[in-house]
Amino acid sequence: YNHQYKLNYKCLMPCNAYGINDNYDALGSHFFPALIKKVVDAIRFKKETINIWGNGKPLRELIYSDDIADACIYFLNRKTKETLINIGTGKDKSITDYAKLIMKHLRVNLKIIYQKNKPNGTQRKILDVSLAKKHGWKYKTSLKKGLSITINDYLKRNLV
């Protein structure tokens, strides 16, 4: 279609996104906002544990939502021959590591109970972001900064 009509349509494929106004629904959220909710709820209800599905070892890549918006604007203004471009950080961590980062940010040390009767999901989800880098785009928001913004937004909205 691009070739036939001399257009420049692209599909940007992001990894797992997180950020303000995320979906924290217990049944429908993705793993990262679910972890934030679990840790905050454990603090709120004075629990000493959180439950994580599977063994906590699967690896996931995250990108802050504003970085996805930035990539959209960036590539909207670029002519590329490629029509599919992965958008991510190129870095991954285990689900357990993400849970520990959230706990560290909230200054709490909860015991993680692994629900090994629940599925782990795909063992590793990371994108090859070399094409985005080749065209000069790179994420801007560090995990530490994005995590802080996201958790503070969640607390503001849910502890009023």
Side-chain angles (χ1 to χ4, degrees):
Y1 201 83
N2 278 348
H3 179 72
Q4 183 177 354
Y5 293 104
K6 298 187 182 9
L7 297 170
N8 190 30
Y9 292 144
K10 295 173 210 72
C11 178
L12 302 183
M13 178 58 66
C15 60
N16 287 301
Y18 72 99
I20 60 172
N21 295 314
D22 214 327
N23 174 12
Y24 297 93
D25 178 67
L27 298 176
S29 66
H30 291 278
F31 87 94
F32 196 63
L35 285 176
I36 292 171
K37 180 176 177 18
K38 286 177 183 187
V39 173
V40 170
D41 284 353
I43 295 167
R44 181 185 300 161
F45 299 114
K46 298 180 177 23
K47 295 183 178 181
E48 296 180 4
T49 64
I50 61 167
N51 294 326
I52 292 180
W53 278 24
N55 62 17
K57 293 179 183 178
L59 301 171
R60 298 291 182 266
E61 177 183 12
L62 290 175
I63 189 165
Y64 187 63
S65 56
D66 284 2
D67 288 332
I68 297 171
D70 177 71
C72 289
I73 293 167
Y74 184 88
F75 284 104
L76 184 66
N77 295 311
R78 296 277 180 305
K79 185 91 171 147
T80 64
K81 67 178 182 182
E82 301 88 3
T83 57
L84 178 62
I85 302 171
N86 291 332
I87 302 301
T89 61
K91 301 174 185 178
D92 58 0
K93 294 185 179 303
S94 74
I95 291 173
T96 296
D97 287 340
Y98 285 120
K100 288 179 179 178
L101 278 172
I102 294 165
M103 286 187 258
K104 181 178 179 182
H105 180 81
L106 292 169
R107 297 186 181 117
V108 64
N109 188 18
L110 304 168
K111 181 179 179 188
I112 298 173
I113 308 287
Y114 296 100
Q115 295 180 294
K116 294 183 181 175
N117 62 327
K118 302 282 188 186
N120 272 319
T122 305
Q123 287 303 303
R124 188 170 194 212
K125 288 185 181 179
I126 189 166
L127 297 176
D128 176 357
V129 295
S130 59
L131 195 53
K133 285 183 181 180
K134 176 184 134 185
H135 287 289
W137 185 86
K138 185 178 187 283
Y139 73 99
K140 294 178 176 72
T141 310
S142 70
L143 179 59
K144 183 176 181 180
K145 180 180 177 184
L147 176 67
S148 178
I149 294 167
T150 303
I151 289 175
N152 290 337
D153 178 70
Y154 178 77
L155 292 172
K156 181 177 75 175
R157 294 172 184 280
N158 292 284
L159 295 181
V160 177

PDB file of all heavy atoms in Angstrom, residues 115-144:
ATOM      1  N   GLN A 115       2.459 -18.521  43.367  1.00  0.00           N
ATOM      2  CA  GLN A 115       1.335 -19.407  43.100  1.00  0.00           C
ATOM      3  C   GLN A 115       1.714 -20.293  41.914  1.00  0.00           C
ATOM      4  O   GLN A 115       1.368 -20.010  40.768  1.00  0.00           O
ATOM      5  CB  GLN A 115       0.075 -18.601  42.823  1.00  0.00           C
ATOM      6  CG  GLN A 115      -0.381 -17.795  44.028  1.00  0.00           C
ATOM      7  CD  GLN A 115      -1.631 -17.015  43.717  1.00  0.00           C
ATOM      8  OE1 GLN A 115      -1.610 -16.115  42.893  1.00  0.00           O
ATOM      9  NE2 GLN A 115      -2.725 -17.394  44.370  1.00  0.00           N
ATOM     10  N   LYS A 116       2.411 -21.359  42.229  1.00  0.00           N
ATOM     11  CA  LYS A 116       2.963 -22.212  41.180  1.00  0.00           C
ATOM     12  C   LYS A 116       1.901 -23.033  40.457  1.00  0.00           C
ATOM     13  O   LYS A 116       2.187 -23.618  39.413  1.00  0.00           O
ATOM     14  CB  LYS A 116       4.067 -23.095  41.761  1.00  0.00           C
ATOM     15  CG  LYS A 116       5.252 -22.255  42.198  1.00  0.00           C
ATOM     16  CD  LYS A 116       6.384 -23.082  42.705  1.00  0.00           C
ATOM     17  CE  LYS A 116       7.534 -22.160  43.139  1.00  0.00           C
ATOM     18  NZ  LYS A 116       8.620 -22.867  43.744  1.00  0.00           N
ATOM     19  N   ASN A 117       0.690 -23.027  40.981  1.00  0.00           N
ATOM     20  CA  ASN A 117      -0.413 -23.684  40.282  1.00  0.00           C
ATOM     21  C   ASN A 117      -0.990 -22.780  39.183  1.00  0.00           C
ATOM     22  O   ASN A 117      -1.811 -23.210  38.388  1.00  0.00           O
ATOM     23  CB  ASN A 117      -1.511 -24.116  41.259  1.00  0.00           C
ATOM     24  CG  ASN A 117      -2.132 -22.926  41.978  1.00  0.00           C
ATOM     25  OD1 ASN A 117      -1.467 -21.927  42.256  1.00  0.00           O
ATOM     26  ND2 ASN A 117      -3.397 -23.048  42.307  1.00  0.00           N
ATOM     27  N   LYS A 118      -0.541 -21.528  39.139  1.00  0.00           N
ATOM     28  CA  LYS A 118      -0.963 -20.573  38.106  1.00  0.00           C
ATOM     29  C   LYS A 118       0.124 -20.514  37.025  1.00  0.00           C
ATOM     30  O   LYS A 118       1.286 -20.785  37.283  1.00  0.00           O
ATOM     31  CB  LYS A 118      -1.149 -19.173  38.699  1.00  0.00           C
ATOM     32  CG  LYS A 118      -2.155 -19.106  39.834  1.00  0.00           C
ATOM     33  CD  LYS A 118      -3.545 -19.109  39.302  1.00  0.00           C
ATOM     34  CE  LYS A 118      -4.520 -18.830  40.461  1.00  0.00           C
ATOM     35  NZ  LYS A 118      -5.877 -18.966  40.052  1.00  0.00           N
ATOM     36  N   PRO A 119      -0.257 -20.129  35.819  1.00  0.00           N
ATOM     37  CA  PRO A 119       0.723 -20.137  34.714  1.00  0.00           C
ATOM     38  C   PRO A 119       1.769 -19.027  34.834  1.00  0.00           C
ATOM     39  O   PRO A 119       1.498 -17.958  35.373  1.00  0.00           O
ATOM     40  CB  PRO A 119      -0.147 -19.918  33.477  1.00  0.00           C
ATOM     41  CG  PRO A 119      -1.377 -19.255  33.972  1.00  0.00           C
ATOM     42  CD  PRO A 119      -1.604 -19.758  35.375  1.00  0.00           C
ATOM     43  N   ASN A 120       2.953 -19.308  34.311  1.00  0.00           N
ATOM     44  CA  ASN A 120       4.023 -18.321  34.223  1.00  0.00           C
ATOM     45  C   ASN A 120       3.834 -17.397  33.031  1.00  0.00           C
ATOM     46  O   ASN A 120       4.276 -16.264  33.043  1.00  0.00           O
ATOM     47  CB  ASN A 120       5.387 -19.009  34.048  1.00  0.00           C
ATOM     48  CG  ASN A 120       6.039 -19.351  35.356  1.00  0.00           C
ATOM     49  OD1 ASN A 120       6.017 -18.575  36.297  1.00  0.00           O
ATOM     50  ND2 ASN A 120       6.629 -20.526  35.415  1.00  0.00           N
ATOM     51  N   GLY A 121       3.230 -17.900  31.993  1.00  0.00           N
ATOM     52  CA  GLY A 121       3.174 -17.159  30.741  1.00  0.00           C
ATOM     53  C   GLY A 121       4.461 -17.366  29.969  1.00  0.00           C
ATOM     54  O   GLY A 121       5.303 -18.189  30.326  1.00  0.00           O
ATOM     55  N   THR A 122       4.623 -16.590  28.922  1.00  0.00           N
ATOM     56  CA  THR A 122       5.826 -16.670  28.104  1.00  0.00           C
ATOM     57  C   THR A 122       7.051 -16.399  28.967  1.00  0.00           C
ATOM     58  O   THR A 122       7.037 -15.485  29.796  1.00  0.00           O
ATOM     59  CB  THR A 122       5.747 -15.642  26.955  1.00  0.00           C
ATOM     60  OG1 THR A 122       4.543 -15.876  26.224  1.00  0.00           O
ATOM     61  CG2 THR A 122       6.939 -15.736  26.036  1.00  0.00           C
ATOM     62  N   GLN A 123       8.113 -17.183  28.761  1.00  0.00           N
ATOM     63  CA  GLN A 123       9.302 -17.047  29.613  1.00  0.00           C
ATOM     64  C   GLN A 123      10.045 -15.732  29.412  1.00  0.00           C
ATOM     65  O   GLN A 123      10.628 -15.200  30.347  1.00  0.00           O
ATOM     66  CB  GLN A 123      10.260 -18.224  29.388  1.00  0.00           C
ATOM     67  CG  GLN A 123       9.743 -19.516  29.991  1.00  0.00           C
ATOM     68  CD  GLN A 123       9.462 -19.383  31.490  1.00  0.00           C
ATOM     69  OE1 GLN A 123      10.329 -19.041  32.269  1.00  0.00           O
ATOM     70  NE2 GLN A 123       8.228 -19.645  31.878  1.00  0.00           N
ATOM     71  N   ARG A 124      10.027 -15.212  28.184  1.00  0.00           N
ATOM     72  CA  ARG A 124      10.730 -13.949  27.948  1.00  0.00           C
ATOM     73  C   ARG A 124      10.004 -13.165  26.866  1.00  0.00           C
ATOM     74  O   ARG A 124       9.694 -13.695  25.803  1.00  0.00           O
ATOM     75  CB  ARG A 124      12.169 -14.209  27.511  1.00  0.00           C
ATOM     76  CG  ARG A 124      12.991 -12.937  27.443  1.00  0.00           C
ATOM     77  CD  ARG A 124      14.464 -13.220  27.253  1.00  0.00           C
ATOM     78  NE  ARG A 124      15.222 -12.014  27.532  1.00  0.00           N
ATOM     79  CZ  ARG A 124      16.352 -11.710  26.915  1.00  0.00           C
ATOM     80  NH1 ARG A 124      16.871 -12.529  26.026  1.00  0.00           N
ATOM     81  NH2 ARG A 124      16.978 -10.599  27.210  1.00  0.00           N
ATOM     82  N   LYS A 125       9.751 -11.881  27.162  1.00  0.00           N
ATOM     83  CA  LYS A 125       9.141 -10.980  26.184  1.00  0.00           C
ATOM     84  C   LYS A 125      10.007  -9.734  26.093  1.00  0.00           C
ATOM     85  O   LYS A 125       9.928  -8.844  26.939  1.00  0.00           O
ATOM     86  CB  LYS A 125       7.728 -10.579  26.612  1.00  0.00           C
ATOM     87  CG  LYS A 125       6.699 -11.672  26.499  1.00  0.00           C
ATOM     88  CD  LYS A 125       5.321 -11.121  26.830  1.00  0.00           C
ATOM     89  CE  LYS A 125       4.261 -12.176  26.761  1.00  0.00           C
ATOM     90  NZ  LYS A 125       2.941 -11.641  27.105  1.00  0.00           N
ATOM     91  N   ILE A 126      10.855  -9.704  25.080  1.00  0.00           N
ATOM     92  CA  ILE A 126      11.705  -8.528  24.842  1.00  0.00           C
ATOM     93  C   ILE A 126      11.752  -8.288  23.339  1.00  0.00           C
ATOM     94  O   ILE A 126      11.752  -9.229  22.550  1.00  0.00           O
ATOM     95  CB  ILE A 126      13.117  -8.710  25.438  1.00  0.00           C
ATOM     96  CG1 ILE A 126      13.897  -7.400  25.369  1.00  0.00           C
ATOM     97  CG2 ILE A 126      13.849  -9.867  24.793  1.00  0.00           C
ATOM     98  CD1 ILE A 126      15.161  -7.371  26.207  1.00  0.00           C
ATOM     99  N   LEU A 127      11.749  -7.029  22.970  1.00  0.00           N
ATOM    100  CA  LEU A 127      11.751  -6.665  21.559  1.00  0.00           C
ATOM    101  C   LEU A 127      13.154  -6.313  21.071  1.00  0.00           C
ATOM    102  O   LEU A 127      13.975  -5.795  21.831  1.00  0.00           O
ATOM    103  CB  LEU A 127      10.843  -5.451  21.333  1.00  0.00           C
ATOM    104  CG  LEU A 127       9.366  -5.634  21.649  1.00  0.00           C
ATOM    105  CD1 LEU A 127       8.626  -4.314  21.468  1.00  0.00           C
ATOM    106  CD2 LEU A 127       8.753  -6.712  20.776  1.00  0.00           C
ATOM    107  N   ASP A 128      13.390  -6.562  19.803  1.00  0.00           N
ATOM    108  CA  ASP A 128      14.608  -6.098  19.152  1.00  0.00           C
ATOM    109  C   ASP A 128      14.340  -4.649  18.725  1.00  0.00           C
ATOM    110  O   ASP A 128      13.568  -4.401  17.803  1.00  0.00           O
ATOM    111  CB  ASP A 128      14.924  -6.973  17.938  1.00  0.00           C
ATOM    112  CG  ASP A 128      16.129  -6.494  17.148  1.00  0.00           C
ATOM    113  OD1 ASP A 128      16.716  -5.433  17.493  1.00  0.00           O
ATOM    114  OD2 ASP A 128      16.488  -7.170  16.171  1.00  0.00           O
ATOM    115  N   VAL A 129      14.946  -3.711  19.422  1.00  0.00           N
ATOM    116  CA  VAL A 129      14.696  -2.292  19.162  1.00  0.00           C
ATOM    117  C   VAL A 129      15.798  -1.654  18.318  1.00  0.00           C
ATOM    118  O   VAL A 129      15.887  -0.424  18.220  1.00  0.00           O
ATOM    119  CB  VAL A 129      14.493  -1.513  20.487  1.00  0.00           C
ATOM    120  CG1 VAL A 129      13.236  -1.991  21.199  1.00  0.00           C
ATOM    121  CG2 VAL A 129      15.710  -1.627  21.389  1.00  0.00           C
ATOM    122  N   SER A 130      16.611  -2.472  17.678  1.00  0.00           N
ATOM    123  CA  SER A 130      17.740  -1.953  16.894  1.00  0.00           C
ATOM    124  C   SER A 130      17.292  -1.065  15.732  1.00  0.00           C
ATOM    125  O   SER A 130      17.966  -0.093  15.390  1.00  0.00           O
ATOM    126  CB  SER A 130      18.622  -3.094  16.390  1.00  0.00           C
ATOM    127  OG  SER A 130      17.892  -3.981  15.581  1.00  0.00           O
ATOM    128  N   LEU A 131      16.145  -1.362  15.148  1.00  0.00           N
ATOM    129  CA  LEU A 131      15.650  -0.556  14.034  1.00  0.00           C
ATOM    130  C   LEU A 131      15.279   0.855  14.506  1.00  0.00           C
ATOM    131  O   LEU A 131      15.609   1.847  13.840  1.00  0.00           O
ATOM    132  CB  LEU A 131      14.449  -1.249  13.388  1.00  0.00           C
ATOM    133  CG  LEU A 131      13.999  -0.763  12.028  1.00  0.00           C
ATOM    134  CD1 LEU A 131      15.146  -0.742  11.031  1.00  0.00           C
ATOM    135  CD2 LEU A 131      12.876  -1.654  11.520  1.00  0.00           C
ATOM    136  N   ALA A 132      14.603   0.954  15.633  1.00  0.00           N
ATOM    137  CA  ALA A 132      14.270   2.276  16.184  1.00  0.00           C
ATOM    138  C   ALA A 132      15.551   3.058  16.474  1.00  0.00           C
ATOM    139  O   ALA A 132      15.651   4.252  16.160  1.00  0.00           O
ATOM    140  CB  ALA A 132      13.432   2.130  17.455  1.00  0.00           C
ATOM    141  N   LYS A 133      16.534   2.380  17.064  1.00  0.00           N
ATOM    142  CA  LYS A 133      17.821   3.040  17.347  1.00  0.00           C
ATOM    143  C   LYS A 133      18.518   3.474  16.063  1.00  0.00           C
ATOM    144  O   LYS A 133      19.094   4.559  15.998  1.00  0.00           O
ATOM    145  CB  LYS A 133      18.732   2.102  18.148  1.00  0.00           C
ATOM    146  CG  LYS A 133      18.332   1.967  19.596  1.00  0.00           C
ATOM    147  CD  LYS A 133      19.317   1.085  20.339  1.00  0.00           C
ATOM    148  CE  LYS A 133      18.918   0.921  21.780  1.00  0.00           C
ATOM    149  NZ  LYS A 133      19.875   0.068  22.519  1.00  0.00           N
ATOM    150  N   LYS A 134      18.448   2.621  15.037  1.00  0.00           N
ATOM    151  CA  LYS A 134      19.070   2.944  13.743  1.00  0.00           C
ATOM    152  C   LYS A 134      18.501   4.245  13.183  1.00  0.00           C
ATOM    153  O   LYS A 134      19.211   5.044  12.581  1.00  0.00           O
ATOM    154  CB  LYS A 134      18.841   1.800  12.755  1.00  0.00           C
ATOM    155  CG  LYS A 134      19.348   2.062  11.355  1.00  0.00           C
ATOM    156  CD  LYS A 134      18.991   0.920  10.431  1.00  0.00           C
ATOM    157  CE  LYS A 134      18.447   1.506   9.143  1.00  0.00           C
ATOM    158  NZ  LYS A 134      17.955   0.526   8.218  1.00  0.00           N
ATOM    159  N   HIS A 135      17.215   4.469  13.426  1.00  0.00           N
ATOM    160  CA  HIS A 135      16.564   5.692  12.941  1.00  0.00           C
ATOM    161  C   HIS A 135      16.675   6.841  13.939  1.00  0.00           C
ATOM    162  O   HIS A 135      16.081   7.898  13.734  1.00  0.00           O
ATOM    163  CB  HIS A 135      15.095   5.414  12.606  1.00  0.00           C
ATOM    164  CG  HIS A 135      14.924   4.610  11.363  1.00  0.00           C
ATOM    165  ND1 HIS A 135      15.167   5.115  10.104  1.00  0.00           N
ATOM    166  CD2 HIS A 135      14.576   3.312  11.175  1.00  0.00           C
ATOM    167  CE1 HIS A 135      14.944   4.182   9.200  1.00  0.00           C
ATOM    168  NE2 HIS A 135      14.591   3.075   9.826  1.00  0.00           N
ATOM    169  N   GLY A 136      17.414   6.630  15.035  1.00  0.00           N
ATOM    170  CA  GLY A 136      17.698   7.724  15.960  1.00  0.00           C
ATOM    171  C   GLY A 136      16.748   7.871  17.133  1.00  0.00           C
ATOM    172  O   GLY A 136      16.824   8.858  17.871  1.00  0.00           O
ATOM    173  N   TRP A 137      15.844   6.908  17.326  1.00  0.00           N
ATOM    174  CA  TRP A 137      14.924   7.020  18.459  1.00  0.00           C
ATOM    175  C   TRP A 137      15.373   6.122  19.606  1.00  0.00           C
ATOM    176  O   TRP A 137      15.798   4.989  19.393  1.00  0.00           O
ATOM    177  CB  TRP A 137      13.486   6.647  18.070  1.00  0.00           C
ATOM    178  CG  TRP A 137      12.553   6.894  19.223  1.00  0.00           C
ATOM    179  CD1 TRP A 137      11.949   8.071  19.526  1.00  0.00           C
ATOM    180  CD2 TRP A 137      12.178   5.970  20.240  1.00  0.00           C
ATOM    181  NE1 TRP A 137      11.218   7.941  20.679  1.00  0.00           N
ATOM    182  CE2 TRP A 137      11.349   6.642  21.147  1.00  0.00           C
ATOM    183  CE3 TRP A 137      12.486   4.634  20.494  1.00  0.00           C
ATOM    184  CZ2 TRP A 137      10.799   6.043  22.264  1.00  0.00           C
ATOM    185  CZ3 TRP A 137      11.950   4.031  21.613  1.00  0.00           C
ATOM    186  CH2 TRP A 137      11.114   4.727  22.490  1.00  0.00           C
ATOM    187  N   LYS A 138      15.260   6.657  20.815  1.00  0.00           N
ATOM    188  CA  LYS A 138      15.548   5.898  22.034  1.00  0.00           C
ATOM    189  C   LYS A 138      14.609   6.387  23.116  1.00  0.00           C
ATOM    190  O   LYS A 138      14.259   7.566  23.160  1.00  0.00           O
ATOM    191  CB  LYS A 138      17.009   6.120  22.445  1.00  0.00           C
ATOM    192  CG  LYS A 138      17.451   5.289  23.635  1.00  0.00           C
ATOM    193  CD  LYS A 138      18.921   5.539  23.947  1.00  0.00           C
ATOM    194  CE  LYS A 138      19.450   4.626  25.007  1.00  0.00           C
ATOM    195  NZ  LYS A 138      19.104   4.926  26.355  1.00  0.00           N
ATOM    196  N   TYR A 139      14.208   5.475  23.999  1.00  0.00           N
ATOM    197  CA  TYR A 139      13.333   5.859  25.107  1.00  0.00           C
ATOM    198  C   TYR A 139      14.040   6.903  25.973  1.00  0.00           C
ATOM    199  O   TYR A 139      15.270   6.969  26.028  1.00  0.00           O
ATOM    200  CB  TYR A 139      12.938   4.625  25.927  1.00  0.00           C
ATOM    201  CG  TYR A 139      14.057   4.065  26.776  1.00  0.00           C
ATOM    202  CD1 TYR A 139      14.134   4.381  28.123  1.00  0.00           C
ATOM    203  CD2 TYR A 139      15.043   3.243  26.236  1.00  0.00           C
ATOM    204  CE1 TYR A 139      15.162   3.882  28.913  1.00  0.00           C
ATOM    205  CE2 TYR A 139      16.069   2.745  27.014  1.00  0.00           C
ATOM    206  CZ  TYR A 139      16.120   3.068  28.352  1.00  0.00           C
ATOM    207  OH  TYR A 139      17.148   2.588  29.123  1.00  0.00           O
ATOM    208  N   LYS A 140      13.251   7.707  26.697  1.00  0.00           N
ATOM    209  CA  LYS A 140      13.813   8.777  27.521  1.00  0.00           C
ATOM    210  C   LYS A 140      13.599   8.569  29.010  1.00  0.00           C
ATOM    211  O   LYS A 140      14.353   9.081  29.834  1.00  0.00           O
ATOM    212  CB  LYS A 140      13.195  10.115  27.099  1.00  0.00           C
ATOM    213  CG  LYS A 140      13.571  10.547  25.691  1.00  0.00           C
ATOM    214  CD  LYS A 140      12.888  11.855  25.326  1.00  0.00           C
ATOM    215  CE  LYS A 140      13.313  12.353  23.975  1.00  0.00           C
ATOM    216  NZ  LYS A 140      12.800  11.609  22.855  1.00  0.00           N
ATOM    217  N   THR A 141      12.561   7.843  29.383  1.00  0.00           N
ATOM    218  CA  THR A 141      12.187   7.737  30.795  1.00  0.00           C
ATOM    219  C   THR A 141      12.788   6.495  31.418  1.00  0.00           C
ATOM    220  O   THR A 141      12.485   5.372  31.003  1.00  0.00           O
ATOM    221  CB  THR A 141      10.647   7.695  30.931  1.00  0.00           C
ATOM    222  OG1 THR A 141      10.084   8.780  30.186  1.00  0.00           O
ATOM    223  CG2 THR A 141      10.225   7.793  32.386  1.00  0.00           C
ATOM    224  N   SER A 142      13.613   6.698  32.432  1.00  0.00           N
ATOM    225  CA  SER A 142      14.209   5.553  33.133  1.00  0.00           C
ATOM    226  C   SER A 142      13.119   4.805  33.891  1.00  0.00           C
ATOM    227  O   SER A 142      12.072   5.383  34.237  1.00  0.00           O
ATOM    228  CB  SER A 142      15.279   6.027  34.123  1.00  0.00           C
ATOM    229  OG  SER A 142      14.678   6.717  35.216  1.00  0.00           O
ATOM    230  N   LEU A 143      13.370   3.544  34.159  1.00  0.00           N
ATOM    231  CA  LEU A 143      12.405   2.750  34.925  1.00  0.00           C
ATOM    232  C   LEU A 143      12.174   3.378  36.299  1.00  0.00           C
ATOM    233  O   LEU A 143      11.031   3.458  36.763  1.00  0.00           O
ATOM    234  CB  LEU A 143      12.895   1.301  35.058  1.00  0.00           C
ATOM    235  CG  LEU A 143      12.005   0.359  35.859  1.00  0.00           C
ATOM    236  CD1 LEU A 143      10.603   0.271  35.253  1.00  0.00           C
ATOM    237  CD2 LEU A 143      12.651  -1.025  35.934  1.00  0.00           C
ATOM    238  N   LYS A 144      13.218   3.839  36.929  1.00  0.00           N
ATOM    239  CA  LYS A 144      13.098   4.451  38.262  1.00  0.00           C
ATOM    240  C   LYS A 144      12.175   5.673  38.225  1.00  0.00           C
ATOM    241  O   LYS A 144      11.287   5.816  39.063  1.00  0.00           O
ATOM    242  CB  LYS A 144      14.479   4.832  38.788  1.00  0.00           C
ATOM    243  CG  LYS A 144      14.470   5.396  40.178  1.00  0.00           C
ATOM    244  CD  LYS A 144      15.885   5.674  40.676  1.00  0.00           C
ATOM    245  CE  LYS A 144      15.841   6.215  42.096  1.00  0.00           C
ATOM    246  NZ  LYS A 144      17.181   6.496  42.612  1.00  0.00           N
TER     247      LYS A 144
END
